[in-house]
Amino acid sequence: MNPALFDGTTADDEYYLPTQLDPAVYEARIKTHRAEYINERDFATIKSWGLNSVRIPVPYFIFGDRAPFIGCIDELDKAFN
């Protein structure tokens, strides 16, 4: 995890992050994090190292918003593609 995601909070992970931020701030911050933290270049690098698998943690709210969390199925789809 990028430590900047948690700036201004005492949260240790994405589960506690929305409990410490205004909903609009949380939404903007988590969407930016998900869009920028891992990208296609990272998968290419992993492949260049001779690895053929990655572990992707999947939260229980992946398929849709479940307050206060924001679903992330689109990000998983991008990883599979």
Side-chain angles (χ1 to χ4, degrees):
M1 293 298 244
N2 184 343
L5 177 63
F6 305 104
D7 284 350
T9 75
T10 60
D12 292 325
D13 56 32
E14 284 189 45
Y15 185 82
Y16 292 103
L17 187 63
T19 67
Q20 298 187 22
L21 295 172
D22 175 82
V25 172
Y26 165 69
E27 181 176 350
R29 193 178 288 191
I30 200 70
K31 285 185 176 183
T32 298
H33 171 73
R34 290 175 180 171
E36 297 175 354
Y37 188 60
I38 300 292
N39 58 47
E40 190 171 343
R41 184 180 65 238
D42 296 310
F43 283 95
T45 299
I46 291 167
K47 182 178 180 180
S48 76
W49 292 338
L51 302 172
N52 62 5
S53 61
V54 295
R55 178 184 177 270
I56 301 175
V58 178
Y60 68 89
F61 53 84
I62 191 167
F63 293 109
D65 296 350
R66 187 164 178 180
F69 307 107
I70 298 170
C72 49
I73 192 66
D74 291 339
E75 288 79 3
L76 184 61
D77 286 345
K78 287 178 189 175
F80 282 133
N81 288 332

mmCIF file of all heavy atoms in Angstrom, residues 36-77:
data_model
loop_
_atom_site.group_PDB
_atom_site.id
_atom_site.type_symbol
_atom_site.label_atom_id
_atom_site.label_comp_id
_atom_site.label_asym_id
_atom_site.label_seq_id
_atom_site.Cartn_x
_atom_site.Cartn_y
_atom_site.Cartn_z
ATOM 1 N N GLU A 36 -3.824 4.461 -9.923
ATOM 2 C CA GLU A 36 -2.408 4.736 -10.117
ATOM 3 C C GLU A 36 -1.452 3.749 -9.459
ATOM 4 O O GLU A 36 -0.305 3.651 -9.867
ATOM 5 C CB GLU A 36 -2.084 6.140 -9.576
ATOM 6 C CG GLU A 36 -2.800 7.234 -10.321
ATOM 7 C CD GLU A 36 -2.570 8.610 -9.702
ATOM 8 O OE1 GLU A 36 -1.938 8.695 -8.625
ATOM 9 O OE2 GLU A 36 -3.029 9.589 -10.297
ATOM 10 N N TYR A 37 -1.877 3.024 -8.439
ATOM 11 C CA TYR A 37 -0.928 2.256 -7.645
ATOM 12 C C TYR A 37 -0.326 1.076 -8.409
ATOM 13 O O TYR A 37 0.876 0.886 -8.410
ATOM 14 C CB TYR A 37 -1.582 1.781 -6.347
ATOM 15 C CG TYR A 37 -0.602 1.143 -5.399
ATOM 16 C CD1 TYR A 37 0.477 1.857 -4.908
ATOM 17 C CD2 TYR A 37 -0.739 -0.183 -5.021
ATOM 18 C CE1 TYR A 37 1.382 1.281 -4.042
ATOM 19 C CE2 TYR A 37 0.169 -0.768 -4.150
ATOM 20 C CZ TYR A 37 1.222 -0.025 -3.671
ATOM 21 O OH TYR A 37 2.115 -0.609 -2.819
ATOM 22 N N ILE A 38 -1.125 0.276 -9.040
ATOM 23 C CA ILE A 38 -0.654 -0.837 -9.869
ATOM 24 C C ILE A 38 -1.161 -0.595 -11.283
ATOM 25 O O ILE A 38 -2.328 -0.285 -11.479
ATOM 26 C CB ILE A 38 -1.192 -2.193 -9.351
ATOM 27 C CG1 ILE A 38 -0.725 -2.456 -7.925
ATOM 28 C CG2 ILE A 38 -0.787 -3.334 -10.275
ATOM 29 C CD1 ILE A 38 0.756 -2.695 -7.777
ATOM 30 N N ASN A 39 -0.285 -0.760 -12.264
ATOM 31 C CA ASN A 39 -0.709 -0.506 -13.643
ATOM 32 C C ASN A 39 -0.158 -1.583 -14.575
ATOM 33 O O ASN A 39 0.519 -2.517 -14.136
ATOM 34 C CB ASN A 39 -0.290 0.907 -14.077
ATOM 35 C CG ASN A 39 1.199 1.121 -13.974
ATOM 36 O OD1 ASN A 39 1.985 0.283 -14.414
ATOM 37 N ND2 ASN A 39 1.610 2.235 -13.380
ATOM 38 N N GLU A 40 -0.441 -1.434 -15.829
ATOM 39 C CA GLU A 40 -0.049 -2.445 -16.814
ATOM 40 C C GLU A 40 1.467 -2.652 -16.853
ATOM 41 O O GLU A 40 1.950 -3.771 -17.021
ATOM 42 C CB GLU A 40 -0.559 -2.035 -18.201
ATOM 43 C CG GLU A 40 -0.423 -3.114 -19.237
ATOM 44 C CD GLU A 40 -1.115 -2.770 -20.541
ATOM 45 O OE1 GLU A 40 -1.962 -1.854 -20.559
ATOM 46 O OE2 GLU A 40 -0.806 -3.435 -21.542
ATOM 47 N N ARG A 41 2.211 -1.583 -16.656
ATOM 48 C CA ARG A 41 3.673 -1.695 -16.640
ATOM 49 C C ARG A 41 4.146 -2.625 -15.514
ATOM 50 O O ARG A 41 5.096 -3.386 -15.684
ATOM 51 C CB ARG A 41 4.296 -0.303 -16.495
ATOM 52 C CG ARG A 41 5.810 -0.314 -16.566
ATOM 53 C CD ARG A 41 6.441 1.077 -16.421
ATOM 54 N NE ARG A 41 6.177 1.604 -15.089
ATOM 55 C CZ ARG A 41 5.538 2.760 -14.837
ATOM 56 N NH1 ARG A 41 5.095 3.501 -15.825
ATOM 57 N NH2 ARG A 41 5.359 3.167 -13.603
ATOM 58 N N ASP A 42 3.461 -2.581 -14.379
ATOM 59 C CA ASP A 42 3.831 -3.468 -13.270
ATOM 60 C C ASP A 42 3.660 -4.938 -13.653
ATOM 61 O O ASP A 42 4.505 -5.776 -13.331
ATOM 62 C CB ASP A 42 2.995 -3.137 -12.031
ATOM 63 C CG ASP A 42 3.271 -1.740 -11.523
ATOM 64 O OD1 ASP A 42 4.451 -1.384 -11.346
ATOM 65 O OD2 ASP A 42 2.296 -0.997 -11.301
ATOM 66 N N PHE A 43 2.583 -5.253 -14.355
ATOM 67 C CA PHE A 43 2.364 -6.633 -14.790
ATOM 68 C C PHE A 43 3.431 -7.053 -15.796
ATOM 69 O O PHE A 43 3.905 -8.193 -15.783
ATOM 70 C CB PHE A 43 0.962 -6.800 -15.374
ATOM 71 C CG PHE A 43 -0.116 -6.868 -14.336
ATOM 72 C CD1 PHE A 43 -0.826 -5.741 -13.971
ATOM 73 C CD2 PHE A 43 -0.421 -8.065 -13.710
ATOM 74 C CE1 PHE A 43 -1.818 -5.799 -13.007
ATOM 75 C CE2 PHE A 43 -1.409 -8.142 -12.738
ATOM 76 C CZ PHE A 43 -2.107 -7.001 -12.391
ATOM 77 N N ALA A 44 3.831 -6.133 -16.682
ATOM 78 C CA ALA A 44 4.885 -6.432 -17.650
ATOM 79 C C ALA A 44 6.215 -6.693 -16.929
ATOM 80 O O ALA A 44 6.960 -7.603 -17.308
ATOM 81 C CB ALA A 44 5.030 -5.294 -18.646
ATOM 82 N N THR A 45 6.486 -5.927 -15.900
ATOM 83 C CA THR A 45 7.711 -6.128 -15.122
ATOM 84 C C THR A 45 7.694 -7.482 -14.435
ATOM 85 O O THR A 45 8.695 -8.218 -14.458
ATOM 86 C CB THR A 45 7.873 -5.000 -14.081
ATOM 87 O OG1 THR A 45 7.958 -3.745 -14.757
ATOM 88 C CG2 THR A 45 9.115 -5.212 -13.230
ATOM 89 N N ILE A 46 6.567 -7.824 -13.835
ATOM 90 C CA ILE A 46 6.434 -9.133 -13.179
ATOM 91 C C ILE A 46 6.693 -10.252 -14.185
ATOM 92 O O ILE A 46 7.418 -11.207 -13.902
ATOM 93 C CB ILE A 46 5.044 -9.257 -12.526
ATOM 94 C CG1 ILE A 46 4.941 -8.308 -11.326
ATOM 95 C CG2 ILE A 46 4.748 -10.694 -12.117
ATOM 96 C CD1 ILE A 46 3.525 -8.106 -10.803
ATOM 97 N N LYS A 47 6.132 -10.117 -15.375
ATOM 98 C CA LYS A 47 6.343 -11.126 -16.417
ATOM 99 C C LYS A 47 7.816 -11.189 -16.827
ATOM 100 O O LYS A 47 8.367 -12.280 -17.031
ATOM 101 C CB LYS A 47 5.467 -10.823 -17.631
ATOM 102 C CG LYS A 47 5.589 -11.848 -18.726
ATOM 103 C CD LYS A 47 4.675 -11.540 -19.885
ATOM 104 C CE LYS A 47 4.824 -12.602 -20.966
ATOM 105 N NZ LYS A 47 3.952 -12.321 -22.109
ATOM 106 N N SER A 48 8.472 -10.028 -16.920
ATOM 107 C CA SER A 48 9.882 -9.997 -17.330
ATOM 108 C C SER A 48 10.785 -10.681 -16.306
ATOM 109 O O SER A 48 11.877 -11.123 -16.634
ATOM 110 C CB SER A 48 10.351 -8.559 -17.558
ATOM 111 O OG SER A 48 10.567 -7.883 -16.340
ATOM 112 N N TRP A 49 10.336 -10.790 -15.083
ATOM 113 C CA TRP A 49 11.082 -11.484 -14.040
ATOM 114 C C TRP A 49 10.868 -13.000 -14.112
ATOM 115 O O TRP A 49 11.404 -13.750 -13.306
ATOM 116 C CB TRP A 49 10.677 -10.999 -12.667
ATOM 117 C CG TRP A 49 11.061 -9.583 -12.356
ATOM 118 C CD1 TRP A 49 12.049 -8.829 -12.946
ATOM 119 C CD2 TRP A 49 10.467 -8.750 -11.374
ATOM 120 N NE1 TRP A 49 12.106 -7.581 -12.391
ATOM 121 C CE2 TRP A 49 11.127 -7.500 -11.409
ATOM 122 C CE3 TRP A 49 9.433 -8.916 -10.467
ATOM 123 C CZ2 TRP A 49 10.790 -6.448 -10.577
ATOM 124 C CZ3 TRP A 49 9.105 -7.862 -9.646
ATOM 125 C CH2 TRP A 49 9.780 -6.653 -9.693
ATOM 126 N N GLY A 50 10.051 -13.439 -15.056
ATOM 127 C CA GLY A 50 9.806 -14.862 -15.228
ATOM 128 C C GLY A 50 8.678 -15.404 -14.376
ATOM 129 O O GLY A 50 8.468 -16.611 -14.313
ATOM 130 N N LEU A 51 7.948 -14.523 -13.728
ATOM 131 C CA LEU A 51 6.819 -14.963 -12.906
ATOM 132 C C LEU A 51 5.566 -15.033 -13.764
ATOM 133 O O LEU A 51 5.404 -14.274 -14.718
ATOM 134 C CB LEU A 51 6.614 -14.002 -11.734
ATOM 135 C CG LEU A 51 7.835 -13.835 -10.819
ATOM 136 C CD1 LEU A 51 7.600 -12.729 -9.814
ATOM 137 C CD2 LEU A 51 8.146 -15.134 -10.122
ATOM 138 N N ASN A 52 4.668 -15.944 -13.419
ATOM 139 C CA ASN A 52 3.465 -16.097 -14.236
ATOM 140 C C ASN A 52 2.181 -16.017 -13.409
ATOM 141 O O ASN A 52 1.119 -16.437 -13.860
ATOM 142 C CB ASN A 52 3.508 -17.396 -15.032
ATOM 143 C CG ASN A 52 3.555 -18.613 -14.129
ATOM 144 O OD1 ASN A 52 3.461 -18.512 -12.914
ATOM 145 N ND2 ASN A 52 3.704 -19.769 -14.743
ATOM 146 N N SER A 53 2.287 -15.481 -12.195
ATOM 147 C CA SER A 53 1.081 -15.318 -11.393
ATOM 148 C C SER A 53 1.268 -14.151 -10.421
ATOM 149 O O SER A 53 2.399 -13.770 -10.103
ATOM 150 C CB SER A 53 0.749 -16.599 -10.625
ATOM 151 O OG SER A 53 1.800 -16.914 -9.745
ATOM 152 N N VAL A 54 0.161 -13.604 -9.994
ATOM 153 C CA VAL A 54 0.160 -12.551 -8.993
ATOM 154 C C VAL A 54 -0.960 -12.844 -7.999
ATOM 155 O O VAL A 54 -1.932 -13.526 -8.331
ATOM 156 C CB VAL A 54 -0.051 -11.137 -9.592
ATOM 157 C CG1 VAL A 54 1.101 -10.738 -10.491
ATOM 158 C CG2 VAL A 54 -1.360 -11.035 -10.334
ATOM 159 N N ARG A 55 -0.806 -12.351 -6.814
ATOM 160 C CA ARG A 55 -1.850 -12.474 -5.799
ATOM 161 C C ARG A 55 -2.579 -11.147 -5.744
ATOM 162 O O ARG A 55 -1.981 -10.099 -5.555
ATOM 163 C CB ARG A 55 -1.246 -12.784 -4.428
ATOM 164 C CG ARG A 55 -2.297 -12.874 -3.346
ATOM 165 C CD ARG A 55 -1.639 -13.075 -1.982
ATOM 166 N NE ARG A 55 -2.627 -13.092 -0.953
ATOM 167 C CZ ARG A 55 -3.061 -12.019 -0.298
ATOM 168 N NH1 ARG A 55 -2.588 -10.828 -0.591
ATOM 169 N NH2 ARG A 55 -3.965 -12.132 0.639
ATOM 170 N N ILE A 56 -3.887 -11.196 -5.918
ATOM 171 C CA ILE A 56 -4.709 -9.993 -5.856
ATOM 172 C C ILE A 56 -5.686 -10.154 -4.699
ATOM 173 O O ILE A 56 -6.575 -11.002 -4.746
ATOM 174 C CB ILE A 56 -5.475 -9.756 -7.173
ATOM 175 C CG1 ILE A 56 -4.488 -9.624 -8.337
ATOM 176 C CG2 ILE A 56 -6.369 -8.526 -7.054
ATOM 177 C CD1 ILE A 56 -5.134 -9.508 -9.693
ATOM 178 N N PRO A 57 -5.503 -9.367 -3.646
ATOM 179 C CA PRO A 57 -6.452 -9.458 -2.536
ATOM 180 C C PRO A 57 -7.824 -8.949 -2.984
ATOM 181 O O PRO A 57 -7.918 -7.933 -3.669
ATOM 182 C CB PRO A 57 -5.847 -8.565 -1.454
ATOM 183 C CG PRO A 57 -4.842 -7.727 -2.132
ATOM 184 C CD PRO A 57 -4.458 -8.390 -3.416
ATOM 185 N N VAL A 58 -8.849 -9.662 -2.622
ATOM 186 C CA VAL A 58 -10.203 -9.321 -3.057
ATOM 187 C C VAL A 58 -11.073 -9.054 -1.825
ATOM 188 O O VAL A 58 -11.342 -9.964 -1.051
ATOM 189 C CB VAL A 58 -10.813 -10.471 -3.898
ATOM 190 C CG1 VAL A 58 -12.230 -10.138 -4.315
ATOM 191 C CG2 VAL A 58 -9.947 -10.747 -5.118
ATOM 192 N N PRO A 59 -11.519 -7.810 -1.657
ATOM 193 C CA PRO A 59 -12.374 -7.498 -0.507
ATOM 194 C C PRO A 59 -13.798 -7.997 -0.715
ATOM 195 O O PRO A 59 -14.231 -8.216 -1.847
ATOM 196 C CB PRO A 59 -12.326 -5.976 -0.443
ATOM 197 C CG PRO A 59 -12.089 -5.547 -1.855
ATOM 198 C CD PRO A 59 -11.230 -6.624 -2.462
ATOM 199 N N TYR A 60 -14.519 -8.152 0.364
ATOM 200 C CA TYR A 60 -15.896 -8.663 0.261
ATOM 201 C C TYR A 60 -16.824 -7.707 -0.482
ATOM 202 O O TYR A 60 -17.855 -8.116 -0.988
ATOM 203 C CB TYR A 60 -16.473 -8.991 1.645
ATOM 204 C CG TYR A 60 -16.725 -7.802 2.525
ATOM 205 C CD1 TYR A 60 -17.938 -7.135 2.493
ATOM 206 C CD2 TYR A 60 -15.757 -7.346 3.408
ATOM 207 C CE1 TYR A 60 -18.177 -6.038 3.304
ATOM 208 C CE2 TYR A 60 -15.989 -6.267 4.223
ATOM 209 C CZ TYR A 60 -17.193 -5.610 4.171
ATOM 210 O OH TYR A 60 -17.415 -4.529 4.983
ATOM 211 N N PHE A 61 -16.458 -6.447 -0.599
ATOM 212 C CA PHE A 61 -17.315 -5.458 -1.268
ATOM 213 C C PHE A 61 -16.917 -5.255 -2.726
ATOM 214 O O PHE A 61 -17.344 -4.307 -3.364
ATOM 215 C CB PHE A 61 -17.269 -4.123 -0.520
ATOM 216 C CG PHE A 61 -15.879 -3.607 -0.281
ATOM 217 C CD1 PHE A 61 -15.206 -2.888 -1.250
ATOM 218 C CD2 PHE A 61 -15.242 -3.854 0.919
ATOM 219 C CE1 PHE A 61 -13.923 -2.417 -1.033
ATOM 220 C CE2 PHE A 61 -13.960 -3.386 1.157
ATOM 221 C CZ PHE A 61 -13.299 -2.660 0.178
ATOM 222 N N ILE A 62 -16.145 -6.172 -3.301
ATOM 223 C CA ILE A 62 -15.624 -5.986 -4.651
ATOM 224 C C ILE A 62 -16.714 -5.770 -5.700
ATOM 225 O O ILE A 62 -16.560 -4.983 -6.611
ATOM 226 C CB ILE A 62 -14.708 -7.160 -5.060
ATOM 227 C CG1 ILE A 62 -13.978 -6.818 -6.351
ATOM 228 C CG2 ILE A 62 -15.495 -8.453 -5.182
ATOM 229 C CD1 ILE A 62 -12.837 -7.731 -6.689
ATOM 230 N N PHE A 63 -17.837 -6.457 -5.571
ATOM 231 C CA PHE A 63 -18.855 -6.409 -6.619
ATOM 232 C C PHE A 63 -19.762 -5.196 -6.560
ATOM 233 O O PHE A 63 -20.585 -5.004 -7.446
ATOM 234 C CB PHE A 63 -19.692 -7.684 -6.614
ATOM 235 C CG PHE A 63 -18.892 -8.885 -7.013
ATOM 236 C CD1 PHE A 63 -18.562 -9.851 -6.087
ATOM 237 C CD2 PHE A 63 -18.448 -9.037 -8.314
ATOM 238 C CE1 PHE A 63 -17.814 -10.954 -6.440
ATOM 239 C CE2 PHE A 63 -17.687 -10.136 -8.685
ATOM 240 C CZ PHE A 63 -17.371 -11.096 -7.741
ATOM 241 N N GLY A 64 -19.652 -4.391 -5.548
ATOM 242 C CA GLY A 64 -20.486 -3.203 -5.492
ATOM 243 C C GLY A 64 -20.282 -2.431 -4.219
ATOM 244 O O GLY A 64 -19.670 -2.911 -3.265
ATOM 245 N N ASP A 65 -20.784 -1.227 -4.241
ATOM 246 C CA ASP A 65 -20.656 -0.381 -3.075
ATOM 247 C C ASP A 65 -21.387 -1.011 -1.903
ATOM 248 O O ASP A 65 -22.479 -1.542 -2.034
ATOM 249 C CB ASP A 65 -21.233 0.999 -3.358
ATOM 250 C CG ASP A 65 -20.463 1.742 -4.438
ATOM 251 O OD1 ASP A 65 -19.388 1.273 -4.835
ATOM 252 O OD2 ASP A 65 -20.957 2.793 -4.883
ATOM 253 N N ARG A 66 -20.750 -0.969 -0.782
ATOM 254 C CA ARG A 66 -21.338 -1.438 0.463
ATOM 255 C C ARG A 66 -20.841 -0.465 1.526
ATOM 256 O O ARG A 66 -19.702 -0.571 1.983
ATOM 257 C CB ARG A 66 -20.884 -2.862 0.752
ATOM 258 C CG ARG A 66 -21.590 -3.455 1.922
ATOM 259 C CD ARG A 66 -21.408 -4.936 1.915
ATOM 260 N NE ARG A 66 -22.065 -5.450 3.109
ATOM 261 C CZ ARG A 66 -22.105 -6.693 3.435
ATOM 262 N NH1 ARG A 66 -21.537 -7.586 2.668
ATOM 263 N NH2 ARG A 66 -22.716 -7.076 4.521
ATOM 264 N N ALA A 67 -21.682 0.492 1.810
ATOM 265 C CA ALA A 67 -21.280 1.616 2.661
ATOM 266 C C ALA A 67 -20.458 1.151 3.854
ATOM 267 O O ALA A 67 -20.786 0.133 4.457
ATOM 268 C CB ALA A 67 -22.513 2.358 3.137
ATOM 269 N N PRO A 68 -19.362 1.829 4.122
ATOM 270 C CA PRO A 68 -18.858 3.041 3.478
ATOM 271 C C PRO A 68 -17.872 2.754 2.343
ATOM 272 O O PRO A 68 -17.203 3.650 1.863
ATOM 273 C CB PRO A 68 -18.145 3.753 4.622
ATOM 274 C CG PRO A 68 -17.535 2.627 5.402
ATOM 275 C CD PRO A 68 -18.566 1.514 5.324
ATOM 276 N N PHE A 69 -17.783 1.513 1.895
ATOM 277 C CA PHE A 69 -16.784 1.128 0.906
ATOM 278 C C PHE A 69 -17.282 1.318 -0.524
ATOM 279 O O PHE A 69 -18.475 1.321 -0.783
ATOM 280 C CB PHE A 69 -16.370 -0.334 1.110
ATOM 281 C CG PHE A 69 -15.952 -0.616 2.511
ATOM 282 C CD1 PHE A 69 -16.763 -1.345 3.358
ATOM 283 C CD2 PHE A 69 -14.753 -0.131 2.995
ATOM 284 C CE1 PHE A 69 -16.380 -1.597 4.660
ATOM 285 C CE2 PHE A 69 -14.370 -0.372 4.298
ATOM 286 C CZ PHE A 69 -15.189 -1.112 5.135
ATOM 287 N N ILE A 70 -16.322 1.410 -1.438
ATOM 288 C CA ILE A 70 -16.618 1.584 -2.862
ATOM 289 C C ILE A 70 -16.164 0.320 -3.587
ATOM 290 O O ILE A 70 -15.017 -0.116 -3.436
ATOM 291 C CB ILE A 70 -15.879 2.815 -3.415
ATOM 292 C CG1 ILE A 70 -16.365 4.076 -2.694
ATOM 293 C CG2 ILE A 70 -16.080 2.935 -4.916
ATOM 294 C CD1 ILE A 70 -15.545 5.306 -2.988
ATOM 295 N N GLY A 71 -17.057 -0.284 -4.353
ATOM 296 C CA GLY A 71 -16.729 -1.504 -5.085
ATOM 297 C C GLY A 71 -15.536 -1.310 -6.008
ATOM 298 O O GLY A 71 -15.185 -0.193 -6.381
ATOM 299 N N CYS A 72 -14.917 -2.427 -6.396
ATOM 300 C CA CYS A 72 -13.703 -2.323 -7.210
ATOM 301 C C CYS A 72 -13.591 -3.436 -8.248
ATOM 302 O O CYS A 72 -12.498 -3.848 -8.613
ATOM 303 C CB CYS A 72 -12.479 -2.293 -6.313
ATOM 304 S SG CYS A 72 -12.414 -3.574 -5.056
ATOM 305 N N ILE A 73 -14.714 -3.904 -8.748
ATOM 306 C CA ILE A 73 -14.682 -4.964 -9.752
ATOM 307 C C ILE A 73 -14.010 -4.505 -11.045
ATOM 308 O O ILE A 73 -13.347 -5.300 -11.726
ATOM 309 C CB ILE A 73 -16.100 -5.540 -10.020
ATOM 310 C CG1 ILE A 73 -16.016 -6.824 -10.843
ATOM 311 C CG2 ILE A 73 -16.995 -4.519 -10.685
ATOM 312 C CD1 ILE A 73 -15.366 -7.975 -10.137
ATOM 313 N N ASP A 74 -14.142 -3.221 -11.383
ATOM 314 C CA ASP A 74 -13.502 -2.714 -12.603
ATOM 315 C C ASP A 74 -11.979 -2.864 -12.532
ATOM 316 O O ASP A 74 -11.339 -3.209 -13.525
ATOM 317 C CB ASP A 74 -13.858 -1.250 -12.848
ATOM 318 C CG ASP A 74 -15.315 -1.062 -13.215
ATOM 319 O OD1 ASP A 74 -15.953 -2.031 -13.667
ATOM 320 O OD2 ASP A 74 -15.819 0.071 -13.056
ATOM 321 N N GLU A 75 -11.412 -2.623 -11.352
ATOM 322 C CA GLU A 75 -9.971 -2.773 -11.190
ATOM 323 C C GLU A 75 -9.554 -4.230 -11.346
ATOM 324 O O GLU A 75 -8.518 -4.533 -11.949
ATOM 325 C CB GLU A 75 -9.520 -2.223 -9.831
ATOM 326 C CG GLU A 75 -9.553 -0.713 -9.748
ATOM 327 C CD GLU A 75 -10.928 -0.119 -9.505
ATOM 328 O OE1 GLU A 75 -11.910 -0.877 -9.330
ATOM 329 O OE2 GLU A 75 -11.025 1.114 -9.496
ATOM 330 N N LEU A 76 -10.340 -5.151 -10.821
ATOM 331 C CA LEU A 76 -10.018 -6.576 -10.984
ATOM 332 C C LEU A 76 -10.128 -6.975 -12.457
ATOM 333 O O LEU A 76 -9.276 -7.705 -12.964
ATOM 334 C CB LEU A 76 -10.947 -7.435 -10.129
ATOM 335 C CG LEU A 76 -10.639 -8.928 -10.137
ATOM 336 C CD1 LEU A 76 -9.241 -9.205 -9.602
ATOM 337 C CD2 LEU A 76 -11.686 -9.690 -9.335
ATOM 338 N N ASP A 77 -11.134 -6.472 -13.152
ATOM 339 C CA ASP A 77 -11.267 -6.751 -14.581
ATOM 340 C C ASP A 77 -10.040 -6.262 -15.346
ATOM 341 O O ASP A 77 -9.533 -6.952 -16.239
ATOM 342 C CB ASP A 77 -12.529 -6.098 -15.149
ATOM 343 C CG ASP A 77 -13.806 -6.815 -14.741
ATOM 344 O OD1 ASP A 77 -13.725 -7.971 -14.268
ATOM 345 O OD2 ASP A 77 -14.879 -6.203 -14.885
#
